[in-house]
Amino acid sequence: MKAVVMAGGEGTRLRPMTSSMPKPLLPVVNRPIMEHVLRLLKRHGLTETVVTVQFLASLVKNYFGDGEELGMELTYAHEEKPLGTAGSVKNAEDALKDDAFLVISGDALTDFDLTDLVNFHKEKGALVTVCLTRVPNPLEFGITIVDDDGKVERFLEKPTWGQVFSDTVNTGIYVMEPEVFDYVEADASVDWSGDVFPQLMKDGKPIYGYVAEGYWEDVGTHESYVKAQADVLEGKVDVEIDGFEISPGVWVAEGAEVHSDAVLRGPLYIGDYAKVEADVEMREHTVVGSNVVVKSGAFLHRAVVADNVYIGQQCNLRGCVIGKNTDIMRAARIEDGAVIGDECLIGEESIVQGNVRVYPFKTVEAGAFVNTSVIWESRGQAQLFGARGVSGILNVEITPELAVRLAGAYATTLKKGSTVTTARDHSRGARALKRAMISALQASAIDVRDLENVPLPVARQLTARGGAGGIMIRTSPGVPDSVDIMFFDERGADLSQAGQRKLDRVFARQEYRRAFPGEIGDLRFPASVFDSYTGSLLRAVDTTGVAEAGLKVVVDASNGSAGLVLPSLLGKLGIEALTINPGLDESRPTETGEARRAGLVRLGEIVSSARADFGVRFDPVGERISLVDERGKIVEDDRALLVLLDLVAAERRSGRVALPVTTTRIAEQVAAYHGTQVDWTTTSPDDLTRVGRDESTIFGGDGRGGYIVPEFSSVFDGSAAFVRLVGLVARTQLTLSQIDARIPRAHVLRRDLATPWAVKGLVMRTVVEAAGDRSVDTTDGVRVVETDGRWVMVLPDPSEAVTHLWAEGPDEASAQALLDEWSEVVESAGR
């Protein structure tokens, strides 16, 4: 006997889950509903099966193919238009006309005894046998009355409570003889219960009803879909679960990684190659699909999560359904009954209320509160570039596919035959992405000069030597699972805003240039990169007096790429240097704030015990430095900026200093005391670089360990800042603590407030209005200066739904009061 699986329905009640996926492919405990149906057919010997398809038919065909993997023989009958339950089977008549056949829905979960059903049909000599089951609420189904012999006496489709005369309903499973096709009009929309069965009964044909024992759930609503998952996990339905039951009710599939500190309260299911980190809590009836990543601190309860989903730290998912390829960012909350479609992005700290529907390919911005369905809005990242280039979570937001498209777009903005310098940090992720980007560049007629693993300043400097631009890939500072793809111009500086917009346009339009076979770019690996860099550095920066000073310095390379350049640099600098943590550690391509602090404390201990003149700690890519004075005390980054400013200004006695507007105004006092002038820039490194290129600029810094040494480079360079510091300390013959002691104390506080994109403009207008008659500076954001000299700055983040605030006062309490006052202004505007 053959079987017919009806798989052509659109499943409109299940949208948005079925907006981009046919209903039979919806997973129930990580297997499509239809696969559970096919496995049931095979168990009962029904291996020859015809599948009727219509809506998104190609997806069904591509998934199941000819059925060989299931040990079945599948053929397909395609409907050009919806033909109804009977019309779709009539469409497959040629394959079914020789013998009795069984009809079953591809989107209902069941474990009925189909062998007993077929035997009942044969024993009764029926033309049609309808499989029935008893349900507590028959309103959504066709109810049926049978006599003592099992013969059907009456049908009624989807009754009201006033019409209910039975709890026995039609399951849509039938055994039929080929003669039934005589009652079905070809190429027309015909239903079994509404059209064919009434006519058969009128003609006195034998229609029987078989009341089946077992489980049956018509997965037609979101509630029934979630219930089906729970019923499988509870063992209420006899289906195969793909995985291992590691503890009662806790199923884990092959290749899944579950941290020992994760809390699992079954019954629940974790799909193959999923990764569950420490401090995750999963409670009953949670289903996690294949390749899902659940970050630390996340909480899931009765959540159904499809394949390839990323769930960020501290997320909270309760009673919701998440479509495939969706990213749920840090601390997002999705409430009971909510459904998120395929390939959506749910931003950080956003809240999706219960029963909200978010349709496929949509973005919910960070910090948003969503209480109505998101249907028509199109997905689109507001801005490709952020503060650190193109940034995102590795293999979630930043994938090899994205890297290839980015490289193709960047190459398209350059002339054929141009040279691009590529580099990376020492992480495996950066290495893999760089290789993908190199291929895309060469395929776009670009020659590539690959530096491999080098410090970021080295990549910038080598880019400026005859290239059209450069690409550096590094792990995002302080975020180990994220990467930054940084694009440089021909001077090794970050792309200008205009350059970013140009690349963004090409990327958005996907208008990538492709080279002809004879134009494929070349790939070269320059030699003596570090010797060349250190030679240029020592020729450009004043080191007079260093050899005579007899300085002793402790240098911490932080197990990063800075350690690659230090042997060449320290050997030529002429100081006694103790280098710690010089080796590369691929497992730690960046460091958290806590790890950085602990490293500085350890550096201070070594400086103190070694009686060194000071200590320097490089960040992992050699772009920034932190200082420890001769007593082993940490010189905070904002304070270190003032120390270097004092040293440079005291020696030069003229010129300009580039500082962002968020820097303490004590910097003006220090600069003015030594006859120099501060040029206030925006917080963008690009703006600091622009000022750093001016001939009159003698110094620049951002207060976070980034320093510009204009005589060598106009970008942040940790090695250049270190060499300059060594020379200044040698010539001034003052210790860092002595220089620090003569500079007034600063009191600058900072706060970040979540602000939805839709109200950012309103927030800034409100701030300007609240300033009233007070002095307002709009160099970057809005800086309001009080009459007593205190100031507050409000700056909307360009790439996140956040507003940044800084406040400075003569003491901590005064600055705190000012920050609190203006935080209230920002928050009230955003309500």
Side-chain angles (χ1 to χ4, degrees):
M1 179 181 288
K2 292 183 179 180
V4 180
V5 175
M6 293 188 291
E10 292 191 31
T12 53
R13 290 180 298 166
L14 279 166
R15 289 179 180 167
M17 294 156 55
T18 54
S19 296
S20 54
M21 178 187 292
K23 184 178 172 185
L25 290 187
L26 288 180
V28 172
V29 188
N30 216 33
R31 271 193 179 140
I33 304 173
M34 184 171 148
E35 185 173 338
H36 288 298
V37 172
L38 291 174
R39 288 175 180 273
L40 176 67
L41 291 174
K42 183 184 176 184
R43 278 208 307 269
H44 291 278
L46 298 163
T47 56
E48 291 186 62
T49 299
V50 181
V51 182
T52 66
V53 291
Q54 194 263 322
F55 177 67
L56 299 177
S58 62
L59 297 182
V60 177
K61 292 179 180 179
N62 291 341
Y63 186 90
F64 292 105
D66 60 6
E68 182 181 1
E69 290 188 12
L70 293 172
M72 302 181 71
E73 296 179 29
L74 301 185
T75 57
Y76 297 88
H78 191 278
E79 304 170 39
E80 297 301 326
K81 60 181 180 180
L83 296 175
T85 56
S88 63
V89 179
K90 173 75 171 180
N91 194 46
E93 181 179 2
D94 289 344
L96 304 169
K97 59 187 178 183
D98 297 329
D99 195 5
F101 56 89
L102 181 141
V103 178
I104 190 169
S105 172
D107 51 28
L109 187 66
T110 182
D111 58 5
F112 287 161
D113 187 343
L114 301 182
T115 300
D116 201 47
L117 169 64
V118 171
N119 291 338
F120 177 89
H121 173 82
K122 292 177 178 178
E123 289 170 4
K124 297 296 183 182
L127 176 63
V128 175
T129 297
V130 182
C131 186
L132 308 173
T133 193
R134 293 187 172 92
V135 296
N137 183 355
L139 296 186
E140 290 296 319
F141 310 103
I143 60 176
T144 307
I145 289 289
V146 297
D147 63 17
D148 292 339
D149 190 41
K151 197 167 187 179
V152 174
E153 294 182 335
R154 186 179 176 191
F155 286 104
L156 182 62
E157 279 297 301
K158 297 186 178 179
T160 64
W161 275 117
Q163 296 173 311
V164 168
F165 50 78
S166 173
D167 64 350
T168 308
V169 301
N170 179 0
T171 65
I173 303 173
Y174 313 112
V175 182
M176 298 178 168
E177 298 296 326
E179 292 85 343
V180 77
F181 288 126
D182 296 338
Y183 288 82
V184 183
E185 182 182 351
D187 200 30
S189 181
V190 183
D191 284 318
W192 293 121
S193 297
D195 303 313
V196 178
F197 294 165
Q199 187 61 44
L200 291 176
M201 294 180 67
K202 184 178 178 181
D203 291 353
K205 299 296 181 180
I207 303 181
Y208 282 81
Y210 169 84
V211 181
E213 297 294 331
Y215 181 91
W216 177 80
E217 181 71 48
D218 176 40
V219 184
T221 64
H222 294 103
E223 292 74 19
S224 62
Y225 178 66
V226 173
K227 179 178 181 296
Q229 315 277 345
D231 289 344
V232 170
L233 293 172
E234 293 280 1
K236 294 180 180 179
V237 52
D238 182 17
V239 298
E240 297 177 37
I241 298 179
D242 184 17
F244 310 94
E245 193 172 11
I246 61 172
S247 62
V250 176
W251 291 85
V252 178
E254 180 183 0
E257 295 181 34
V258 181
H259 197 281
S260 58
D261 290 338
V263 178
L264 306 179
R265 299 181 180 177
L268 57 82
Y269 180 86
I270 298 171
D272 53 306
Y273 299 101
K275 183 176 182 181
V276 179
E277 293 190 349
D279 301 321
V280 168
E281 182 174 352
M282 287 189 182
R283 291 190 178 179
E284 61 271 13
H285 303 161
T286 290
V287 175
V288 168
S290 302
N291 303 307
V292 170
V293 175
V294 186
K295 301 296 286 183
S296 62
F299 176 88
L300 292 82
H301 183 205
R302 294 176 50 248
V304 179
V305 181
D307 296 344
N308 304 308
V309 169
Y310 175 86
I311 300 172
Q313 293 178 338
Q314 309 300 324
C315 284
N316 192 306
L317 279 60
R318 297 173 183 266
C320 56
V321 177
I322 311 297
K324 66 179 186 295
N325 301 320
T326 284
D327 299 334
I328 303 174
M329 309 312 286
R330 181 188 60 81
R333 185 182 184 93
I334 304 177
E335 298 287 4
D336 191 48
V339 180
I340 311 298
D342 297 342
E343 300 193 41
C344 290
L345 174 65
I346 309 300
E348 291 187 355
E349 299 184 6
S350 57
I351 298 174
V352 179
Q353 284 286 81
N355 301 312
V356 164
R357 305 289 185 256
V358 179
Y359 275 62
F361 312 108
K362 302 297 181 293
T363 293
V364 173
E365 68 182 35
F369 181 86
V370 183
N371 55 12
T372 58
S373 293
V374 181
I375 301 174
W376 301 112
E377 298 86 346
S378 62
R379 174 176 180 170
Q381 189 172 337
Q383 193 171 356
L384 183 63
F385 283 86
R388 303 182 302 269
V390 181
S391 304
I393 300 168
L394 178 64
N395 276 339
V396 175
E397 295 169 295
I398 304 294
T399 63
E401 297 87 349
L402 176 74
V404 166
R405 294 200 301 271
L406 276 171
Y410 181 53
T412 304
T413 67
L414 305 173
K415 293 180 180 180
K416 284 187 176 182
S418 298
T419 297
V420 167
T421 301
T422 58
R424 62 171 176 88
D425 70 6
H426 56 287
S427 67
R428 293 181 180 179
R431 178 168 53 199
L433 292 177
K434 180 175 66 67
R435 288 172 176 172
M437 298 189 83
I438 286 174
S439 297
L441 291 168
Q442 290 180 277
S444 298
I446 296 295
D447 293 332
V448 177
R449 180 171 55 186
D450 186 26
L451 306 180
E452 301 184 276
N453 174 24
V454 297
L456 178 54
V458 175
R460 292 186 185 276
Q461 212 238 7
L462 269 292
T463 296
R465 294 186 182 180
I471 299 174
M472 172 80 183
I473 306 173
R474 67 169 181 181
T475 305
S476 301
V479 190
D481 56 356
S482 292
V483 293
D484 303 332
I485 301 178
M486 308 175 72
F487 292 90
F488 305 149
D489 62 16
E490 70 280 2
R491 292 171 297 201
D494 292 339
L495 279 186
S496 65
Q497 293 294 321
Q500 291 179 13
R501 285 193 295 269
K502 185 177 180 181
L503 194 159
D504 204 342
R505 283 195 302 272
V506 175
F507 179 81
R509 295 172 184 169
Q510 300 189 32
E511 298 172 346
Y512 311 132
R513 181 182 68 221
R514 291 291 177 259
F516 297 110
E519 298 176 329
I520 300 297
D522 189 21
L523 174 61
R524 294 180 290 110
F525 300 91
S528 305
V529 169
F530 300 121
D531 286 341
S532 173
Y533 168 79
T534 55
S536 298
L537 174 57
L538 293 174
R539 284 192 297 271
V541 178
D542 185 4
T543 58
T544 56
V546 172
E548 296 78 18
L551 293 179
K552 184 177 182 180
V553 180
V554 182
V555 181
D556 187 350
S558 305
N559 297 117
S561 54
L564 299 173
V565 76
L566 286 175
S568 175
L569 180 62
L570 295 174
K572 298 174 182 177
L573 193 54
I575 61 172
E576 182 183 352
L578 170 61
T579 303
I580 61 175
N581 301 316
L584 295 177
D585 185 350
E586 286 189 351
S587 67
R588 292 192 296 125
T590 186
E591 56 187 4
T592 62
E594 293 79 6
R596 174 181 173 274
R597 193 73 186 179
L600 283 170
V601 170
R602 176 62 180 152
L603 175 62
E605 293 170 351
I606 296 173
V607 168
S608 177
S609 63
R611 297 184 180 180
D613 291 283
F614 61 89
V616 173
R617 190 171 201 271
F618 286 84
D619 74 350
V621 292
E623 183 181 38
R624 300 171 183 273
I625 59 171
S626 298
L627 303 181
V628 170
D629 67 19
E630 75 285 356
R631 300 171 301 177
K633 180 182 177 183
I634 298 170
V635 184
E636 302 297 342
D637 287 342
D638 56 345
R639 198 71 190 164
L641 174 63
L642 297 178
V643 169
L644 264 77
L645 169 61
D646 185 74
L647 282 167
V648 172
E651 184 170 89
R652 293 293 185 90
R653 296 289 175 176
S654 65
R656 301 161 63 197
V657 175
L659 302 174
V661 288
T662 51
T663 307
T664 172
R665 265 39 193 181
I666 287 174
E668 277 186 321
Q669 300 176 29
V670 173
Y673 180 80
H674 296 296
T676 58
Q677 175 186 343
V678 175
D679 263 13
W680 297 111
T681 74
T682 69
T683 54
S684 167
D686 180 52
D687 202 20
L688 271 171
T689 296
R690 177 185 57 79
V691 177
R693 285 196 292 265
D694 191 286
E695 290 184 0
S696 63
T697 301
I698 61 171
F699 177 69
D702 67 351
R704 295 183 293 114
Y707 301 101
I708 295 173
V709 181
E711 57 265 40
F712 176 65
S713 172
S714 62
V715 297
F716 295 148
D717 188 326
S719 295
F722 168 62
V723 172
R724 192 176 198 187
L725 176 62
V726 167
L728 290 167
V729 171
R731 291 188 294 274
T732 193
Q733 297 186 354
L734 292 174
T735 65
L736 295 190
S737 64
Q738 289 172 332
I739 299 166
D740 187 18
R742 71 188 189 187
I743 301 172
R745 296 286 111 183
H747 302 281
V748 179
L749 302 179
R750 174 176 172 169
R751 183 176 297 168
D752 297 336
L753 300 175
T755 309
W757 286 99
V759 299
K760 279 192 173 184
L762 173 61
V763 165
M764 299 311 292
R765 176 165 59 84
T766 303
V767 168
V768 172
E769 291 172 352
D773 296 333
R774 285 168 283 198
S775 174
V776 173
D777 177 7
T778 57
T779 300
D780 198 13
V782 174
R783 190 173 75 92
V784 181
V785 183
E786 303 284 347
T787 54
D788 59 2
R790 294 182 304 154
W791 58 269
V792 65
M793 180 172 163
V794 181
L795 176 66
D797 192 285
S799 57
E800 298 180 13
V802 171
T803 299
H804 307 290
L805 286 84
W806 290 262
E808 181 173 26
D811 52 54
E812 198 86 4
S814 174
Q816 186 67 58
L818 191 63
L819 189 62
D820 292 342
E821 175 189 344
W822 285 91
S823 294
E824 176 59 28
V825 172
V826 171
E827 289 176 326
S828 63
R831 292 188 185 119

